């Protein structure tokens, strides 16, 4: 599945119950006035990997569950 989202582009392949991955290209969450170089500002993304129903990229960050590595 490939889709355009409000925040960019996303693709998921496979069945999370067995094996799947998701790639996302995201907009810079800090906005246009970020001090990042243009290359850095356009390089945001996320990755998720599932094996046997478990998301191997899910983790806790400041007490919040994050579903992808960014």
């Amino acid at each position: 599945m490939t889709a355009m989202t409000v925040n960019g582009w996303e693709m998921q392949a496979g069945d999370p119950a067995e094996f799947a991955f998701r790639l996302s290209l995201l907009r810079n969450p800090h906005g246009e006035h970020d001090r990042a170089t243009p290359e850095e500002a356009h390089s945001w993304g996320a990755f998720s990997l599932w094996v046997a129903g478990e998301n191997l990229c899910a983790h806790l960050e400041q007490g919040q569950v994050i579903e992808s590595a960014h």
Side-chain angles (χ1 to χ4, degrees):
M1 164 185 83
T2 301
M4 292 295 293
T5 67
V6 172
N7 292 322
W9 173 89
E10 185 173 274
M11 182 200 112
Q12 181 174 325
D15 178 0
E18 295 179 24
F19 177 83
F21 65 92
R22 178 184 296 153
L23 302 173
S24 302
L25 300 178
L26 307 170
R27 294 176 195 246
N28 182 349
H30 305 293
E32 295 179 21
H33 302 292
D34 189 12
R35 292 186 288 176
T37 65
E39 294 83 8
E40 292 169 333
H42 289 92
S43 67
W44 284 89
F47 177 83
S48 298
L49 178 68
W50 290 268
V51 177
E54 185 172 343
N55 182 347
L56 301 180
C57 294
H59 60 283
L60 281 176
E61 238 177 71
Q62 299 178 355
Q64 181 180 2
V65 175
I66 307 296
E67 297 292 330
S68 302
H70 292 85

